[in-house]
Amino acid sequence: MSDRLAHILDEVRQYHRETSDDREFVAGVTEIWPSGAVLDDADRAAVVEAALTLRIAAGRSARKFESAFARRMGRRKAHLTNSGSSANLLALTALTSPQLEQRRLVPGDEVITVAAGFPTTVNPILQNGLVPVFVDIDLRTYNTTAEHVEKAIGPRTRAIMIAHALGNPFEVAEVAQLAAEHDLLLIEDTCDAVGSTYKGQLVGTFGDLATVSFYPAHHLTMGEGGCVLTSNLALARIVESLRDWGRDCWCEPGESDTCRKRFGYQMGTLPAGYDHKYIFSHVGYNLKVTDLQAALGLTQLDKLDDFCAARRRNWGRLRSGLAEVPWLLLPEPAPGSDPSWFGFVITVDPEAPFKRAELVDFLESRKIGTRRLFAGNLTRHPAYLGREFRVCGELTNSDIVTEHTFWIGVYPGLTEEMIDYVIASVTEFVGAHR
């Protein structure tokens, strides 16, 4: 690094410290966000350095992050994408690759998923001409169960794609065992659950593929961004191809002849010797990330353990502080798990003398941000009316979530004072209705 660049970056760090919003918390005035990015001077300097060196396409920082993140998540390969939604699309689409031969998913095949979730876990199933099979959730963990999944397996079921709800692991070891017994492929959506463990094992390491989001609300951020993880090298190669226009070549941008036989292939009905850089083996996309995003991801990754600890600490403080408040169904960690929480979910008892909307309105009036448990019951949304899907059993709890559930924040930007104000506000509201 040149002296001039070092000086500029020192000035950037100083600028960050001088302009950071460290105003005192004022109850009812200061916004308490349900989620958000926590950025420091190292993050700002990393983005500026990448910009000053004009590392604008995926390059050195992207490759370094992929390697470091794969190690951190216990997988052999990580492929960065431009969003967590794109990561889900790539992971599911990879299972339709002709290169999987008999294991390939084809239109009409079924994929088991959860009704009470975020649409981007489900949309890739429909986008690939497959059939979602919706199962219900448990109202203690807000996840489905292995029992629900097993009952949903039918003659056309070929895969399972489920998210760990708000960082709380589903029964992923048991679901993975079911997948093995029935020759099903498993995708773990870990976008909300980086750092969570189930039975001592990191989530994202049980399935054939796992996905992560780096949107500002999540555990790490690149502004936008996502990642597909796997230890199956054949699947990793398919994901890379689909992400990079569908090309067969695996050269990094700006590189040529990595395979040492660039003009030695004959594929499809192309003439022998056709340039491998322009041979396409999949109907793919361009879903790559930029090096500016990856540079931010690298400095964020250094803080992951602290971020996860803060999320657990904030969640625990809320759980303890609200434990005796009536009419509220509070969340529970999945047995045998250690969640790295994304949010703190609350369901208002349908028999309570107040409605969820009333409690939410009260909290919002006090600048306490709330969010719904994503889509509630997805099958009730206009996007899915008229779409082909199957429902196994009743979606009773998914409907309860739709009517009575919301969540509040636990992200690392929240202080103990903020958490205590949230507890006091919820307690005050419920107490006024007793």
Side-chain angles (χ1 to χ4, degrees):
M1 182 186 299
S2 70
D3 290 343
R4 187 174 187 184
L5 178 57
H7 174 71
I8 291 172
L9 296 181
D10 284 342
E11 288 293 313
V12 169
R13 295 185 188 96
Q14 182 62 30
Y15 172 83
H16 180 93
R17 292 188 287 269
E18 291 174 354
T19 59
S20 292
D21 186 2
D22 56 359
R23 291 172 293 180
E24 181 179 353
F25 171 70
V26 180
V29 176
T30 306
E31 296 274 4
I32 300 177
W33 295 103
S35 61
V38 177
L39 302 167
D40 62 16
D41 59 339
D43 296 317
R44 192 183 293 265
V47 174
V48 171
E49 182 183 4
L52 288 174
T53 53
L54 293 179
R55 301 202 309 268
I56 54 176
R60 178 169 58 87
S61 292
R63 292 191 295 272
K64 184 177 179 182
F65 182 91
E66 287 174 335
S67 178
F69 194 63
R71 289 195 302 272
R72 183 68 173 77
M73 294 295 288
R75 304 313 301 257
R76 295 180 67 183
K77 289 289 185 178
H79 286 97
L80 281 172
T81 71
N82 59 358
S83 71
S85 302
S86 293
N88 279 346
L89 176 62
L90 288 172
L92 196 284
T93 305
L95 303 186
T96 71
S97 170
Q99 295 179 9
L100 296 183
E101 298 178 343
Q102 296 303 312
R103 297 208 77 190
R104 174 193 185 187
L105 274 60
V106 297
D109 284 344
E110 293 182 345
V111 181
I112 297 171
T113 190
V114 172
F118 200 75
T120 55
T121 309
V122 174
N123 291 350
I125 302 170
L126 293 167
Q127 288 160 343
N128 279 280
L130 306 168
V131 180
V133 179
F134 290 108
V135 294
D136 206 5
I137 60 168
D138 178 90
L139 280 181
R140 295 166 300 174
T141 64
Y142 296 89
N143 282 303
T144 194
T145 65
E147 181 180 4
H148 284 321
V149 172
E150 185 171 22
K151 289 179 179 178
I153 296 172
R156 291 220 62 175
T157 305
R158 301 292 308 283
I160 303 166
M161 187 172 184
I162 300 175
H164 299 281
L166 293 179
N168 198 12
F170 64 87
E171 294 174 346
V172 62
E174 292 81 357
V175 170
Q177 181 61 36
L178 283 173
E181 291 172 358
H182 293 271
D183 194 27
L184 307 177
L185 294 156
L186 173 61
I187 298 173
E188 292 178 73
D189 181 337
T190 62
C191 290
D192 291 351
V194 172
S196 296
T197 63
Y198 184 73
K199 296 187 175 181
Q201 183 175 333
L202 276 173
V203 301
T205 60
F206 293 86
D208 297 281
L209 294 151
T211 60
V212 174
S213 171
F214 300 122
Y215 188 70
H218 289 100
H219 289 60
L220 301 174
T221 187
M222 295 182 182
E224 296 284 356
C227 193
V228 182
L229 296 146
T230 186
S231 290
N232 183 314
L233 296 184
L235 284 175
R237 181 69 193 92
I238 293 168
V239 167
E240 182 178 23
S241 173
L242 287 165
R243 182 196 64 178
D244 298 0
W245 305 283
R247 66 179 187 163
D248 198 75
C249 175
W250 57 89
C251 289
E252 295 289 344
E255 295 181 358
S256 297
D257 208 21
T258 303
C259 63
R260 301 301 176 91
K261 54 177 185 176
R262 176 180 170 186
F263 300 104
Y265 290 89
Q266 196 288 309
M267 301 180 72
T269 61
L270 291 167
Y274 198 86
D275 189 344
H276 191 226
K277 288 177 71 69
Y278 293 97
I279 296 177
F280 299 90
S281 52
H282 292 94
V283 178
Y285 313 90
N286 177 9
L287 301 177
K288 297 190 298 300
V289 75
T290 70
D291 234 38
L292 278 77
Q293 292 168 275
L296 175 57
L298 283 167
T299 54
Q300 284 273 294
L301 186 57
D302 290 338
K303 297 180 276 282
L304 179 58
D305 288 339
D306 290 340
F307 287 164
C308 292
R311 288 176 175 276
R312 291 182 171 107
R313 185 168 58 249
N314 290 340
W315 189 94
R317 195 176 188 89
L318 282 168
R319 188 64 172 77
S320 176
L322 296 174
E324 302 303 321
V325 179
W327 306 112
L328 302 181
L329 179 63
L330 301 183
E332 298 179 11
S337 74
D338 183 15
S340 176
W341 296 97
F342 181 69
F344 188 92
V345 62
I346 296 172
T347 295
V348 175
D349 190 321
E351 301 301 319
F354 55 88
K355 303 295 185 183
R356 174 204 53 79
E358 295 175 278
L359 175 52
V360 165
D361 287 346
F362 180 79
L363 295 176
E364 294 282 351
S365 74
R366 292 193 165 197
K367 304 297 183 182
I368 298 169
T370 66
R371 296 290 186 268
R372 302 305 297 269
L373 187 54
F374 308 128
N377 184 347
L378 273 166
T379 68
R380 297 172 61 177
H381 285 256
Y384 305 97
L385 299 180
R387 294 280 191 168
E388 183 181 2
F389 59 80
R390 180 164 68 86
V391 175
C392 181
E394 301 295 326
L395 298 179
T396 304
N397 291 338
S398 298
D399 285 330
I400 290 174
V401 162
T402 305
E403 302 289 344
H404 303 289
T405 301
F406 70 100
W407 60 271
I408 51 182
V410 300
Y411 82 103
L414 301 180
T415 65
E416 289 186 356
E417 189 177 12
M418 291 175 176
I419 297 293
D420 290 344
Y421 179 64
V422 173
I423 293 168
S425 297
V426 173
T427 303
E428 177 184 334
F429 175 87
V430 176
H433 289 79
R434 298 183 72 169

